[in-house]
């Protein structure tokens, strides 16, 4: 099992940047695939980005491709989501998630979320 805690959310103007962090209760490198999801008010949760256990592979939702970068190149229990050129439609609660095995599939462990609000 692993516990996840997100941080780094906040209020930013459209066109700005934010970097979200996800701290795990144990090292996740080479053990857990990690991902970010988001849920806007009144909408279903949607996939944002994922990174493989090794960090060698990533995938992104089309809506964020080229603007967001997922990484795990820091401490072995940390995953990041760097968000650039933010748009009003990026406003949502952002959740970190983990799963053992491939980064495609159902995620088993979830954080509490961090709110990102982009003002237009």
């Amino acid at each position: 099992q692993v516990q996840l805690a997100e941080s780094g959310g906040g209020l930013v103007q459209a066109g700005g940047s934010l970097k979200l962090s996800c701290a795990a209760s144990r090292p996740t490198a080479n053990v857990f695939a990690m991902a970010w999801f988001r849920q806007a008010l009144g909408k279903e949760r949607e996939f944002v980005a994922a990174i493989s256990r090794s960090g060698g592979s990533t995938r992104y939702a089309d809506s964020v491709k080229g603007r967001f970068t997922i990484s795990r190149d820091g401490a072995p229990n940390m995953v990041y989501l760097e968000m650039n050129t933010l748009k009003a439609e990026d406003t949502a609660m952002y959740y970190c998630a983990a799963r053992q095995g491939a980064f495609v599939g159902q995620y088993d462990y979830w954080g509490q979320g961090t709110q990102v609000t982009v003002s237009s």
Side-chain angles (χ1 to χ4, degrees):
Q1 285 202 351
V2 62
Q3 285 77 48
L4 305 173
E6 304 92 339
S7 62
L11 174 64
V12 63
Q13 288 189 331
S17 299
L18 278 176
K19 186 173 183 177
L20 305 183
S21 299
C22 174
S25 58
R26 52 175 283 194
T28 57
N30 298 310
V31 178
F32 290 92
M34 303 295 293
W36 289 93
F37 290 77
R38 66 186 182 187
Q39 186 168 19
L41 200 61
K43 295 188 177 181
E44 292 187 354
R45 185 171 60 196
E46 65 174 0
F47 168 78
V48 176
I51 189 165
S52 63
R53 289 173 292 174
S54 68
S57 298
T58 57
R59 59 188 286 259
Y60 297 91
D62 287 344
S63 59
V64 306
K65 204 171 292 184
R67 299 188 298 122
F68 290 12
T69 302
I70 188 171
S71 66
R72 60 190 316 167
D73 53 359
N77 67 323
M78 297 297 296
V79 174
Y80 306 96
L81 184 68
E82 186 164 1
M83 306 184 295
N84 298 313
T85 319
L86 283 161
K87 306 175 182 179
E89 50 264 44
D90 294 318
T91 294
M93 185 71 79
Y94 282 72
Y95 297 92
C96 178
R99 71 183 303 271
Q100 290 183 295
F103 66 173
V104 178
Q106 183 174 338
Y107 280 75
D108 303 307
Y109 305 100
W110 296 83
Q112 295 297 307
T114 185
Q115 177 68 38
V116 172
T117 303
V118 184
S119 62
S120 56

Short mmCIF file of all heavy atoms in Angstrom, two decimals, residues 39-45 89:
data_model
loop_
_atom_site.label_atom_id
_atom_site.label_comp_id
_atom_site.label_asym_id
_atom_site.label_seq_id
_atom_site.Cartn_x
_atom_site.Cartn_y
_atom_site.Cartn_z
N GLN A 39 -10.67 16.58 -11.83
CA GLN A 39 -12.13 16.60 -11.86
C GLN A 39 -12.61 18.02 -11.67
O GLN A 39 -12.37 18.64 -10.62
CB GLN A 39 -12.71 15.70 -10.78
CG GLN A 39 -14.22 15.57 -10.87
CD GLN A 39 -14.76 14.45 -9.99
OE1 GLN A 39 -14.10 13.99 -9.06
NE2 GLN A 39 -15.96 13.99 -10.29
N ALA A 40 -13.24 18.54 -12.69
CA ALA A 40 -13.83 19.87 -12.62
C ALA A 40 -15.21 19.77 -11.99
O ALA A 40 -15.86 18.72 -12.01
CB ALA A 40 -13.91 20.48 -14.01
N LEU A 41 -15.68 20.88 -11.46
CA LEU A 41 -16.97 20.91 -10.80
C LEU A 41 -18.07 20.47 -11.76
O LEU A 41 -18.19 21.01 -12.86
CB LEU A 41 -17.24 22.32 -10.29
CG LEU A 41 -18.28 22.46 -9.19
CD1 LEU A 41 -17.86 21.70 -7.95
CD2 LEU A 41 -18.51 23.93 -8.85
N GLY A 42 -18.85 19.49 -11.36
CA GLY A 42 -19.95 19.01 -12.17
C GLY A 42 -19.57 18.09 -13.31
O GLY A 42 -20.43 17.71 -14.12
N LYS A 43 -18.30 17.72 -13.37
CA LYS A 43 -17.83 16.84 -14.46
C LYS A 43 -17.22 15.58 -13.89
O LYS A 43 -16.88 15.50 -12.71
CB LYS A 43 -16.82 17.58 -15.33
CG LYS A 43 -17.41 18.77 -16.08
CD LYS A 43 -16.42 19.35 -17.07
CE LYS A 43 -17.02 20.48 -17.86
NZ LYS A 43 -16.06 21.03 -18.86
N GLU A 44 -17.05 14.60 -14.76
CA GLU A 44 -16.42 13.36 -14.34
C GLU A 44 -14.91 13.53 -14.25
O GLU A 44 -14.32 14.38 -14.91
CB GLU A 44 -16.77 12.25 -15.33
CG GLU A 44 -18.24 11.87 -15.31
CD GLU A 44 -18.52 10.65 -16.18
OE1 GLU A 44 -17.59 10.18 -16.86
OE2 GLU A 44 -19.66 10.18 -16.16
N ARG A 45 -14.31 12.69 -13.45
CA ARG A 45 -12.86 12.69 -13.34
C ARG A 45 -12.26 12.26 -14.68
O ARG A 45 -12.76 11.33 -15.33
CB ARG A 45 -12.41 11.74 -12.24
CG ARG A 45 -10.92 11.76 -11.95
CD ARG A 45 -10.63 10.95 -10.72
NE ARG A 45 -11.03 9.56 -10.85
CZ ARG A 45 -11.18 8.72 -9.85
NH1 ARG A 45 -10.96 9.14 -8.61
NH2 ARG A 45 -11.53 7.46 -10.06
N GLU A 89 -10.08 26.31 -18.68
CA GLU A 89 -10.63 24.95 -18.67
C GLU A 89 -9.75 23.94 -17.95
O GLU A 89 -10.13 22.79 -17.79
CB GLU A 89 -10.93 24.46 -20.09
CG GLU A 89 -9.78 24.64 -21.06
CD GLU A 89 -9.90 25.92 -21.88
OE1 GLU A 89 -10.23 26.99 -21.30
OE2 GLU A 89 -9.63 25.85 -23.10
#
